[in-house]
Amino acid sequence: MENPLGFDRNIFDYIDSLPDVESVKSACAGVDNNALKKIFWASFKKYFKTKSALEKQKASLKCTVINRYFGSGIPLNAKITPFTTPHAFYGIFISANAKIGKGCTIFQHVTIGSNTLLDSKSAGAPTIGDNVYIGTGARIIGNVKVGNNVRIGAGCTVTRDVPDNCTVVQAAPFVIQKNSPQDNRWISMAKWRKIKAEKTKLIIPPPTA
């Protein structure tokens, strides 16, 4: 049977088959970020509440599809309380063993991950308190306890406990002033190798007679 979730193969054919503007608008509403977040959390809650094996599997599948859409990894974990995501679930990864309290806000590309290194003193999964604000790209790793009402700044890496009512920020970046414009063009690795090879040839002295 053809995979009904094979979006990469079927989605553009489906879009081309839409007969009118209203159909397109209706389809767009179905993939609206806010609509998908509502479906995710409704399915998340249903997974733990329903006694029907079929409904549980459907709820799990919906969460899996939405995770795939956003490139996220939010597990079906009863110890995770639904949280606010201002920029949807993009890139959010949460360990299946993590705990997240009430009223938290988590921005995109946040990792709340386990540490399973056998010789590590901080092995385990994070426990996040209530009303915690976690900025973009922050990483909370290992057996870390983050207290209530904590703010974690964008890009911070947290590997030790944070008491209640604290703010975590990373060190300010060091600015290096240049006296001339910098070449910030992106080039492929193949082109970089070619340029480097050409420059190397220029500094090799010609053979002597």
Side-chain angles (χ1 to χ4, degrees):
M1 184 178 72
E2 187 174 4
N3 179 10
L5 304 182
F7 299 123
D8 54 334
R9 297 188 301 272
N10 301 329
I11 189 63
F12 297 112
D13 290 338
Y14 168 72
I15 292 172
D16 287 338
S17 73
L18 295 172
D20 50 49
V21 173
E22 291 306 314
S23 298
V24 176
K25 288 181 178 179
S26 178
C28 288
V31 292
D32 173 76
N33 285 353
N34 288 326
L36 289 175
K37 287 195 294 183
K38 289 179 181 178
I39 293 170
F40 182 91
W41 290 125
S43 301
F44 184 95
K45 292 177 181 177
K46 189 170 188 178
Y47 178 84
F48 296 105
K49 289 183 178 180
T50 184
K51 294 181 180 179
S52 165
L54 176 59
E55 292 304 314
K56 187 178 286 287
Q57 285 298 317
K58 287 180 179 179
S60 175
L61 185 56
K62 287 179 182 179
C63 290
T64 298
V65 171
I66 294 171
N67 265 322
R68 185 178 299 175
Y69 176 84
F70 287 114
S72 57
I74 303 172
L76 290 167
N77 176 357
K79 295 179 180 178
I80 292 176
T81 303
F83 46 83
T84 299
T85 50
H87 300 299
F89 300 137
Y90 289 110
I92 296 175
F93 174 82
I94 299 174
S95 168
N97 297 305
K99 300 176 184 177
I100 298 179
K102 299 176 182 178
C104 292
T105 297
I106 300 178
F107 281 77
Q108 68 272 25
H109 298 292
V110 164
T111 295
I112 300 173
S114 294
N115 173 356
T116 57
L117 295 172
L118 295 176
D119 59 350
S120 175
K121 294 180 180 179
S122 61
T127 297
I128 311 297
D130 297 337
N131 190 36
V132 175
Y133 185 99
I134 306 175
T136 302
R139 297 165 294 276
I140 305 170
I141 309 295
N143 187 19
V144 175
K145 292 180 175 58
V146 176
N148 300 323
N149 310 311
V150 167
R151 292 181 182 178
I152 298 175
C156 289
T157 298
V158 179
T159 57
R160 59 183 181 180
D161 292 353
V162 181
D164 293 351
N165 307 315
C166 287
T167 296
V168 181
V169 295
Q170 63 180 0
F174 184 70
V175 179
I176 302 173
Q177 181 69 51
K178 297 289 185 176
N179 295 323
S180 59
Q182 301 179 92
D183 187 348
N184 291 327
R185 293 173 298 166
W186 179 87
I187 58 173
S188 68
M189 182 57 71
K191 188 172 181 180
W192 178 83
R193 288 194 184 103
K194 184 178 180 180
I195 293 172
K196 187 175 181 182
E198 291 298 326
K199 287 184 177 180
T200 302
K201 289 177 184 177
L202 293 176
I203 62 174
I204 297 177
T208 55

